[in-house]
Structures are given as structure tokens and as C-alpha cells.
Amino acid sequence: MKGKNSAKSIEMEDVWKKYDMGEVEPLVVLSDINLEIKRGEFVAITGPSGSGKSTMLNLVGVLDKPSWGRVILDNQNISFLRESDLAILRGKKIGFIFQQFNLIKTLSALENVMLPMEALDILSKKESEQRAIALLTVLGLQDRLHHKPNQLSGGQQQRVAIARALANDPEIILADEPTGNLDSHTGQFVMEFLQKLNKQGKTIILITHDPNLKKYAKRIINIMDGKIISPPGKK
């Protein structure tokens, strides 16, 4: 019997993604992708601009469906799910951390973190608030609960975004260039916090073109021209 950490979290089988360009040939962005990410891994998906990382992000994060092939999240083939079901699956299983933070400008830090919990409507408002306060406190923002994004520094906004990603206690954290708009000190804090989450059992998927971030991952997946390529020295 396999242990919990050996269970598959995400699996991609013969995945292709193309976009119809009208009268010209379809644009193939990803081709023949086969990938397994096990529960509890820390994986970095890396490659130059235009390599297909963003499309990979959308598929791994269940934000899009493949043109053909299968993307399986916890034994569910997302290709057959309705958008409403995909949204629920994302809300429960995946926490997103983006380079641009993507906080709602009119909401406070506390309200931004409560939002994913309210969307799933599992906890009461009081319980959601208590959990949001606890997460923001862990990230050192207990004195910024009622500040709006424009009243926070870039590093503080990213910490709010991390708290929001953890709101529904997801199994998977998908971090898209999470240090891209941060100074080196804050960027190091973010990456070390992701490492800490990984040690606690979270699956971390990092999308990056920054070679300095590879050292934090346990496995590197290189993307080039829409295909997974072997690391140097491997075939």
C-alpha cells in the first residue's frame, strides 16, 4: 500500500493545448505533455518567456482544459467537469499566489483573506474571520488587518496573498512568479515560507523563469517550445 506522500496530486497524460487562429494554422502552445506531481512534492516549472509556462499554469491550476489529453486532479478528469464544478474544485484543492498579488483593492487585508472561505460557504462568517486573522498573524500582519492594498507595501500585499491562498487549507499551492515584484529580502521570506508549507505536507508548484529560485524546489521541470525537456545530463 502506498504512503500518503506517494499518492498522485496532479497527472497530465498526452496533453496538448492549441488555439484556433481562424484561417491560419492553429497555434500549438503545449504538445505531448506527460507529467506526474505527487502529493507533498515541491516542483519548479521553469523555462524562458513564451515556452508555455503560463499555459501549463492554467492547466495545472485547473483554470483551463486541454485541447486533448487528460488532466487529472485527485483522480478526477477535469475535461468532463462543468465550469461551476471546476470553480469548486479549485477553491477546495488549490491556493494561488500571483506575481501581481491580485488583491481586491476595495477590500481590507482581512476581507481579502476571508473571500475564498465565503465563496465556498463552509464556515460561518465569525469562523472565517477568526481563521483569516490567525493566518495574517502568522505572516506578521496582525497590525494591518484593516488596511487596503494601496496602504500596504509590495511585500505586505504578497503576504496577504499567501494568507488568502491558505484560507481554505488547500492541498496544493500554485505560486506564479511569487517574488517577481519583491525586493530580495522579501522574496527570500516568501520562498522560505513556501518551503515551510512544503515541510508541513503541502504540494508546492512554482512557476518561474528565475534560476535563483530553483534551489528551493526538490524537482525541476523544464519547458521549452511547449514541451518538457530533460535537465542537462539526463535523457
Side-chain angles (χ1 to χ4, degrees):
M1 185 175 180
K2 294 182 178 180
K4 182 178 179 181
N5 288 337
S6 66
K8 297 171 185 175
S9 190
I10 296 172
E11 188 173 6
M12 305 177 79
E13 297 178 348
D14 301 320
V15 166
W16 291 65
K17 185 65 181 180
K18 68 175 183 177
Y19 295 97
D20 191 354
M21 305 298 288
E23 296 181 359
V24 299
E25 288 290 321
L27 176 63
V28 178
V29 184
L30 290 177
S31 59
D32 196 26
I33 299 294
N34 289 279
L35 174 65
E36 290 182 7
I37 297 176
K38 292 183 171 61
R39 186 172 290 124
E41 279 199 281
F42 192 143
V43 174
I45 299 175
T46 184
S49 177
S51 61
K53 293 194 310 299
S54 295
T55 304
M56 179 75 83
L57 162 73
N58 291 338
L59 293 176
V60 170
V62 199
L63 296 168
D64 199 2
K65 297 180 181 181
S67 299
W68 60 87
R70 301 201 308 164
V71 177
I72 301 167
L73 176 61
D74 275 355
N75 298 317
Q76 294 187 75
N77 185 351
I78 70 164
S79 301
F80 300 108
L81 296 180
R82 296 173 299 180
E83 179 52 42
S84 58
D85 294 325
L86 285 175
I88 293 172
L89 187 63
R90 282 194 298 269
K92 290 181 177 179
K93 298 287 185 180
I94 303 174
F96 294 89
I97 304 171
F98 297 102
Q99 179 178 353
Q100 302 296 336
F101 317 134
N102 289 2
L103 300 176
I104 296 178
K105 296 178 181 179
T106 57
L107 299 183
S108 68
L110 180 61
E111 291 167 334
N112 266 285
V113 178
M114 289 175 64
L115 199 59
M117 292 181 274
E118 293 173 342
L120 289 185
D121 196 25
I122 295 175
L123 302 177
S124 68
K125 184 173 181 180
K126 183 177 181 181
E127 289 171 327
S128 296
E129 182 175 344
Q130 290 174 337
R131 177 163 174 77
I133 291 172
L135 288 167
L136 289 166
T137 299
V138 166
L139 286 155
L141 294 172
Q142 61 272 17
D143 59 344
R144 296 289 189 272
L145 299 179
H146 303 292
H147 287 60
K148 292 182 178 179
N150 65 358
Q151 298 172 310
L152 301 171
S153 68
Q156 290 170 336
Q157 289 185 63
Q158 191 61 296
R159 282 186 275 164
V160 174
I162 292 172
R164 180 187 58 190
L166 296 172
N168 288 323
D169 194 23
E171 297 173 7
I172 302 164
I173 303 295
L174 204 162
D176 181 23
E177 302 284 4
T179 66
N181 286 330
L182 305 177
D183 61 74
S184 59
H185 177 74
T186 308
Q188 181 178 346
F189 169 85
V190 168
M191 294 308 303
E192 289 177 352
F193 193 82
L194 290 176
Q195 278 189 320
K196 181 179 178 181
L197 292 173
N198 180 243
K199 290 177 181 178
Q200 294 172 356
K202 301 290 186 188
T203 303
I204 309 295
I205 302 173
L206 171 69
I207 307 290
T208 185
H209 69 275
D210 185 349
N212 294 320
L213 300 187
K214 292 181 182 180
K215 64 184 179 183
Y216 293 97
K218 296 176 182 175
R219 181 158 66 107
I220 309 296
I221 298 168
N222 296 292
I223 303 290
M224 180 72 72
D225 297 328
K227 296 182 178 182
I228 294 176
I229 60 173
S230 299
K234 291 187 179 181
K235 295 183 179 180

